[in-house]
Amino acid sequence: MLKKILSKSIAIALLSLSASAVFAGEVEVLHFWTSGGEAKSAAELKKMLEAKGHTWKDFAVAGGGGENAMTVLKSRVVSGNPPSAAQIKGPTIQEWGDEGVLTNLNSVAESEKWNDLLPSVVADAMKYKGNYVAAPVNVHRVNWMWLNPAVFKKAGAEIPKTWDELFAAADKIKAAGLTAIAHGGQPWQDATTFESIVLGTAGADFYRKAFVDLDPASLDSEAMVKAFDMLRKTKGYTDKDAPGREWNMATAMLINDKAAIQFMGDWAKGEFTAAKKEAGKDFLCMPAPGTAGMFTFNIDSFAMFELKDEKNKAAQVDLAKTIMEPGFQEVFNLNKGSIPARLNMDMAKFDTCAKDSSAEFVKSAADKTLVPSMAHGMAMFSAVQGAVYDTVTKFYNDDAMSSKDAAKALASAVKAAQTK
């Protein structure tokens, strides 16, 4: 009898192992999460997928705010060898959909009830012609201002809420021999600061006309001239080593008490968290001046590419399911600094910054002050975004270029990019 029971148990175990081997596949995931907090978040997804019996092939491409990763992705797709999933977002998903290389995720979306679990603004961004082709991992608020209160205290400066207060504080910080504004001189970082300035000085309606509707009169307007003026003024409070600096190195300046302020999305919080810093004590999070009650969003997502291997297709489906599971949405966003894309999540474990972000996301959607991030690929197609990047960065690096000329150049560059 004992032999029969053991034989049966072994047979069941072997059958189970055989079944998992049959359905186990590989997912190759292209992403650009390479900083401390980001890499830790990606590792959680890998761990959860491997727990389901699949193999994770990591394809991380650092730098450029994702620009480098997109260059690599294009070469892979053109060669007929796409990854299982790639970190893509916003209108870029539509561009890849037009190429006919994305796979349809409707079956998993329907079985997992994604339409009920996602805010409409998130769900719509994950679809191509009404069909799900991507899975969202989070929602980032971009218009954050991060502050080191110890640096403010050392310089005898007040925590600012307006641009005038910010520049008054920056003067004191600069006089104390510290860097007032930590910045990385890269096009996407220049654009990140600029979009918060436009939102804070001109409001959500103007922002939408300029960066979503691409209205020529708004792009070349006095309001845009004022925003360029403000951008140039912020540059005066950065340090000489800013050009080419990666964003997380700028965040490290705040972490190490070398700088006071950084304009960056809430992925910066992941760096503070990784460094064991406490929100409200070691660092502060506030909306960029003038942007309280408004929300520029950036949704990280994985678009899924059409595959041939059936095992890898099954692994791809499990990847999509895992991304939307509450356990992943919680642990990923706790590490990343963002908030869950999935609705009705328990926010008890999240800090005050994330709780504020979650509340503002819902409120700004109702108040129509929720706008897609221009700097982070949510507002416009990549060619137009590139034209904006080029103009903003040219102005930022050329002190001889006037704000009026920059606004005129911006309107012309956007128009040219639209006709290509």
Side-chain angles (χ1 to χ4, degrees), residues 65-125:
E67 293 174 64
N68 297 345
M70 291 305 99
T71 300
V72 174
L73 178 61
K74 286 175 184 175
S75 67
R76 284 287 302 272
V77 175
V78 168
S79 67
N81 182 32
S84 308
Q87 186 185 347
I88 306 174
K89 56 195 177 184
T92 304
I93 292 175
Q94 307 305 309
E95 291 178 317
W96 283 111
D98 286 340
E99 296 297 323
V101 293
L102 300 182
T103 195
N104 189 310
L105 296 175
N106 282 347
S107 59
V108 62
E110 288 170 8
S111 66
E112 300 295 310
K113 298 181 169 51
W114 286 8
N115 279 339
D116 297 329
L117 295 173
L118 295 173
S120 59
V121 68
V122 179
D124 290 345

Side-chain angles (χ1 to χ4, degrees), residues 32-34 38 61-70 87 89 186-189 192 246-247 267 298 300 375-377 385 389:
F32 43 95
W33 290 326
T34 56
E38 292 176 325
V61 181
E67 293 174 64
N68 297 345
M70 291 305 99
Q87 186 185 347
K89 56 195 177 184
Q186 297 174 332
W188 73 271
Q189 293 190 65
T192 297
E246 293 291 342
W247 71 269
W267 49 92
N298 173 25
D300 280 321
H376 295 274
Q385 182 191 42
Y389 273 18

Side-chain angles (χ1 to χ4, degrees), residues 133 264 297 337:
V133 293
M264 188 54 61
F297 68 85

Side-chain angles (χ1 to χ4, degrees), residues 3 38 43 50 59 61 80 121 141 143 161 171 189 266 272 317 342 354 398 404:
K3 284 182 178 180
E38 292 176 325
E50 288 179 339
F59 192 177
V61 181
V121 68
R141 188 182 194 184
N143 59 305
K161 291 185 179 179
D171 284 331
Q189 293 190 65
D266 51 19
F272 288 108
V317 168
R342 179 178 171 132
D398 182 2
K404 192 166 185 177

Side-chain angles (χ1 to χ4, degrees), residues 302-323:
F302 281 109
M304 307 290 174
F305 285 79
E306 194 69 54
L307 302 176
K308 295 176 182 178
D309 186 279
E310 291 301 323
K311 292 180 184 178
N312 293 346
K313 282 184 179 180
Q316 188 182 55
V317 168
D318 272 349
L319 175 64
K321 285 182 180 178
T322 304
I323 287 169

